[in-house]
Amino acid sequence: MDKIHSLTGMIDLVSQKTDKSETANKIFFIEKILRSIFKNYSLSEIRTPALEDESLFKRSVGDSSDIVNKELYSFLDKNDKRIVLRPEGTAGVIRSIIEKKIDGDTHKLWYLGPMWRYERPQKGRFRQFYQAGVEILGYEEGLAELEMISLICSLNKALDIKNPVIKINHLGNKDCKKNFCNDLVDYLRPMSADLEKKDLERLTKNPLRILDSKNPETQNILNNAPLMIDYLPQESKDLLELIKDMFSDDCNIKIDYKLVRGLDYYTGFVFEAISDELGAQDAYLGGGRYDELCSQLGGKNLPAIGMAIGIERLACLVNTLENTKTLLSFIILSSKIEQKAYKIAHNLRLLNNKINLDTQLSRGSLKSKLRRANKDNASYALIIGEEELKSNTVVVKPLLDKNSQQSSMSLSELYDFVRSLT
Ligand code: HAM
């Protein structure tokens, strides 16, 4: 029979000792660390559905963005309603806040979950990928920006990220953004014959995005283009300098006046964290201020800033893994005593939740079970047969230290021993 394969750009994460790259283990470790950092910043968790009404993303991420234009996983449901698998988390969070009528309050939120974008898969780019996001709602520009950068410094440190650089920029206020865009279009229009199709489309739909073009010819043309910095109000430039000064001891922060983001809802301060270890897809997180999104979606005026972390990309930058717990391999030698012996394993787990106890559930010889325990890198094999059960004892065999001898322990000695393990 034909085998069924996973869909293009979608990967299975299986935590297995045979996975040499340890991708799944790294991802699960990262998620654990991020949860503890989010707690450290007093953020609350929010979970929104993976499926949303398509118009939510058209009205937020924007019609001119690649995400909405080309990459939406969009379907008609059984009721002919157009729904999409969410390509990002921010729009759903704001929809939820408005729907719950709590868009007049302040919120500090985090989420973690899969997102879907129909992109051309390549290194660091998947069609299903995981994001951990943070949205800080109800706070004007100022301390909330510092909170974002502080959080990025914390995660860089906690995960010991290789060569991180935080790029920051400011898109200014509405007026300066408009003036800059007008002048940029005036500058580029006479050269439109030299622009590739994608950039030409951007010229009418969202000229700011041209600054982000990967095309070397476009970048050449941009060399003499008007510069965003000349249009920014002083307070925006001051904020960038303040952030650079305040966090430069902990992080490599670079002001990049060409940094624009691929989603339409950004209004002020924007940022991305990159690492040259990642190759072409070098951003492992990105975000910014989006003060108009809530009112655009029918809610109140809610100032907001947020970011999302690409977990798979972060995994490429992480070397350390969680210290594994002591592994005990529990070996039952006779099918006649299986249930009674199993109860001992159950008691041991309740005694100390720091240990990792593998009850070998299959029947087999002592030799094959010891082979499996060694393969799993177990520290000890706990062996129990009919004789041991009768005398309330268990044989404890150290597996990592080949010079140590196995010993027989009474159940109470075993319980003390297991309690003492870390
Ligand atoms: P974004 O820049 O589109 O922002 O995505 C954030 C991060 O998700 C990227 O920096 C990247 O690490 C990861 N990512 C994006 N696409 C893929 C992909 N196809 N495969 C693997 N990783 C990917 C947002 O999504 C905004 N919602 C961030 C935000 C939150 N802004 C304000 N609040």
Side-chain angles (χ1 to χ4, degrees):
M1 220 195 286
D2 283 348
K3 281 192 190 147
I4 301 170
H5 298 281
S6 65
L7 299 177
T8 307
M10 309 215 174
I11 53 168
D12 299 310
L13 294 174
V14 188
S15 162
Q16 263 190 343
K17 290 167 192 99
T18 46
D19 172 15
K20 290 269 183 304
S21 67
E22 304 231 57
T23 307
N25 281 338
K26 281 184 186 169
I27 285 179
F28 301 147
F29 171 63
I30 288 169
E31 291 180 354
K32 193 172 159 189
I33 297 290
L34 288 179
R35 280 196 173 88
S36 74
I37 294 176
F38 296 154
K39 208 166 151 205
N40 193 223
Y41 280 74
S42 194
L43 308 176
S44 312
E45 183 173 0
I46 179 168
R47 284 191 204 187
T48 60
L51 289 171
E52 295 274 4
D53 192 317
E54 184 181 62
S55 54
L56 174 65
F57 298 102
K58 291 200 159 170
R59 282 170 54 186
S60 56
V61 175
D63 258 337
S64 71
S65 68
D66 285 353
I67 297 176
V68 165
N69 236 339
K70 304 187 194 133
E71 298 165 3
L72 277 188
Y73 267 91
S74 137
F75 312 91
L76 286 177
D77 72 5
K78 290 188 196 302
N79 216 6
D80 275 347
K81 189 178 172 58
R82 191 148 282 282
I83 53 169
V84 296
L85 279 165
R86 61 178 179 201
E88 59 100 55
T90 312
V93 168
I94 299 301
R95 181 213 31 80
S96 168
I97 296 293
I98 297 172
E99 239 181 313
K100 293 194 177 317
K101 298 193 173 52
I102 49 173
D103 49 335
D105 304 335
T106 57
H107 305 276
K108 292 181 175 182
L109 303 170
W110 71 269
Y111 51 86
L112 198 161
M115 308 289 158
W116 293 265
R117 296 183 190 176
Y118 198 88
E119 300 197 71
R120 194 169 48 79
Q122 55 175 260
K123 184 171 177 269
R125 194 155 80 183
F126 304 97
R127 290 187 175 168
Q128 175 173 314
F129 57 97
Y130 282 80
Q131 277 189 348
V134 173
E135 312 294 349
I136 298 194
L137 311 177
Y139 301 92
E140 301 285 352
E141 180 174 284
L143 290 182
E145 268 72 3
L146 306 187
E147 188 96 320
M148 282 288 146
I149 303 298
S150 160
L151 204 152
I152 301 171
C153 293
S154 292
L155 79 89
N156 281 346
K157 187 164 177 229
L159 293 167
D160 198 13
I161 297 299
K162 296 178 234 163
N163 301 340
V165 177
I166 305 177
K167 294 197 293 186
I168 56 174
N169 191 18
H170 204 293
L171 305 178
N173 53 32
K174 246 189 188 160
D175 286 342
C176 86
K177 193 170 163 187
K178 203 168 133 206
N179 292 339
F180 174 64
C181 283
N182 287 342
D183 288 358
L184 185 66
V185 172
D186 286 349
Y187 168 81
L188 288 171
R189 211 173 280 292
M191 286 171 269
S192 49
D194 298 327
L195 293 177
E196 64 171 348
K197 192 168 160 256
K198 197 170 166 183
D199 290 332
L200 208 54
E201 276 168 19
R202 286 170 168 168
L203 196 62
T204 42
K205 282 188 173 168
N206 188 355
L208 265 192
R209 291 278 288 134
I210 297 182
L211 298 182
D212 205 25
S213 172
K214 300 275 180 287
N215 186 311
E217 201 146 315
T218 307
Q219 281 304 331
N220 236 346
I221 293 174
L222 285 172
N223 278 339
N224 296 317
L227 291 175
M228 175 99 82
I229 182 174
D230 297 327
Y231 296 75
L232 281 184
Q234 192 54 43
E235 62 264 27
S236 305
K237 290 190 257 187
D238 289 347
L239 178 70
L240 295 177
E241 291 299 337
L242 169 80
I243 288 178
K244 197 164 178 297
D245 284 352
M246 188 178 281
F247 296 103
S248 280
D249 284 349
D250 305 311
C251 273
N252 187 356
I253 299 199
K254 285 210 170 108
I255 300 176
D256 176 356
Y257 290 110
K258 278 193 183 163
L259 176 69
V260 282
R261 305 260 307 124
L263 303 88
D264 287 357
Y265 49 61
Y266 293 110
T267 50
F269 178 67
V270 287
F271 54 92
E272 268 177 17
I274 58 163
S275 166
D276 56 12
E277 306 267 332
L278 285 175
Q281 306 302 320
D282 61 356
Y284 60 92
L285 65 82
R289 182 160 282 279
Y290 56 97
D291 284 349
E292 284 154 27
L293 182 58
C294 189
S295 57
Q296 267 167 23
L297 292 176
K300 299 196 169 128
N301 272 330
L302 182 73
I305 184 168
M307 69 168 170
I309 304 157
I311 306 283
E312 289 80 359
R313 293 198 193 161
L314 207 49
C316 298
L317 300 172
V318 168
N319 263 338
T320 44
L321 271 179
E322 195 169 17
N323 287 338
T324 39
K325 298 171 173 185
T326 307
L327 175 63
L328 305 175
S329 195
F330 196 84
I331 298 177
I332 304 172
L333 290 180
S334 155
S335 56
K336 288 192 200 136
I337 58 156
E338 267 176 355
Q339 286 130 13
K340 284 193 173 134
Y342 186 88
K343 187 70 201 292
I344 296 174
H346 171 74
N347 290 342
L348 292 176
R349 286 180 174 135
L350 292 182
L351 275 180
N352 182 352
N353 64 9
K354 289 199 202 82
I355 57 158
N356 190 339
L357 190 139
D358 177 31
T359 39
Q360 293 202 29
L361 299 176
S362 58
R363 293 179 181 159
S365 67
L366 174 62
K367 198 171 160 201
S368 69
K369 290 190 168 191
L370 279 175
R371 201 179 311 124
R372 154 98 182 266
N374 276 314
K375 197 168 157 230
D376 291 348
N377 239 350
S379 302
Y380 299 93
L382 308 182
I383 306 163
I384 180 158
E386 290 177 30
E387 281 308 306
E388 283 77 20
L389 194 75
K390 239 185 252 159
S391 60
N392 272 333
T393 57
V394 169
V395 172
V396 178
K397 183 175 172 63
L399 298 176
L400 297 181
D401 180 359
K402 299 290 172 216
N403 295 324
S404 302
Q405 296 296 312
Q406 68 178 45
S407 58
S408 173
M409 287 188 191
S410 69
L411 280 187
S412 66
E413 281 169 339
L414 177 71
Y415 289 167
D416 284 344
F417 169 67
V418 166
R419 258 194 220 101
S420 72
L421 293 173
T422 51

